[in-house]
Amino acid sequence: MNEDLYAEWLVKRKTPAYMFLVKVALVFLVLVGLTACVFSQWGFILLLITVLAAFFGFQYTSLEYEYIFVSNEFGVDKIYSKSRRKKDVRLDMSKVVQVAPIAGHELDSYKNNQKTKVVDYSSREADAKTYGIVYEDTNGTTFYIIEPSEKFLKTMKACSPRKVQIAQ
């Protein structure tokens, strides 16, 4: 009988304003390569380089975070342009100090601490319900900002009821 607790949640990160300029610059770069292809004998090589740069550059213009919780492990995968996945972090719940809403006061001592490393895995929307995960290991204390669903939080709380606080 399999008694693993499992939950997953996908959060799309708000695209920063500068990303529009990056996309325009990549298109401009390809146009320069096309122009060089017409007027230069080495233009085809330059065109090939610019198309490859634009191809790989566009893959990093859209970002989503997938939260995965299995039994006693929390993980975050980064998904670039809905096609490329990168496992970013895996946290053992036994080393998690606390999970609580950022809007509350439970995490105040970690939010403003200069020695605590902060990693943001939220959508970065102004009205998002974000939570903080305080994680301590041999590398020190890390404060992760996430934006989970209610079901995701309830699954985490079922695994570690004393460490997870859910906002009412």
Side-chain angles (χ1 to χ4, degrees), residues 26-159:
L26 290 171
V27 169
F28 180 75
L29 191 65
V30 170
L31 291 175
V32 167
L34 279 171
T35 306
C37 188
V38 172
F39 294 112
S40 171
Q41 62 185 13
W42 297 99
F44 181 73
I45 295 172
L46 184 62
L47 175 65
L48 185 63
I49 291 170
T50 58
V51 167
L52 285 174
F55 175 75
F56 288 113
F58 266 101
Q59 288 187 353
Y60 292 99
T61 58
S62 173
L63 179 61
E64 296 175 334
Y65 300 113
E66 183 178 35
Y67 308 141
I68 302 166
F69 185 80
V70 179
S71 288
N72 206 22
E73 184 180 79
F74 171 78
V76 178
D77 292 350
K78 289 182 177 180
I79 302 172
Y80 296 101
S81 296
K82 299 182 182 183
S83 61
R84 298 185 66 212
R85 177 183 297 265
K86 177 188 171 212
K87 291 183 180 182
D88 203 49
V89 70
R90 295 290 181 258
L91 305 177
D92 183 13
M93 287 301 287
S94 65
K95 296 180 182 177
V96 169
V97 176
Q98 190 172 18
V99 179
I102 290 185
H105 296 289
E106 295 91 355
L107 301 173
D108 285 347
S109 61
Y110 298 102
K111 286 191 273 188
N112 301 321
N113 190 343
Q114 296 294 326
K115 295 180 182 177
T116 303
K117 179 182 172 187
V118 178
V119 181
D120 192 351
Y121 292 121
S122 69
S123 67
R124 300 183 183 173
E125 295 284 342
D127 60 343
K129 289 185 178 181
T130 55
Y131 280 73
I133 298 177
V134 180
Y135 186 76
E136 289 184 353
D137 63 355
T138 56
N139 297 331
T141 305
T142 308
F143 184 77
Y144 295 98
I145 301 171
I146 63 170
E147 191 178 329
S149 67
E150 289 294 321
K151 180 184 174 197
F152 195 89
L153 285 169
K154 288 178 182 177
T155 305
M156 287 179 76
K157 188 165 181 76
C159 180

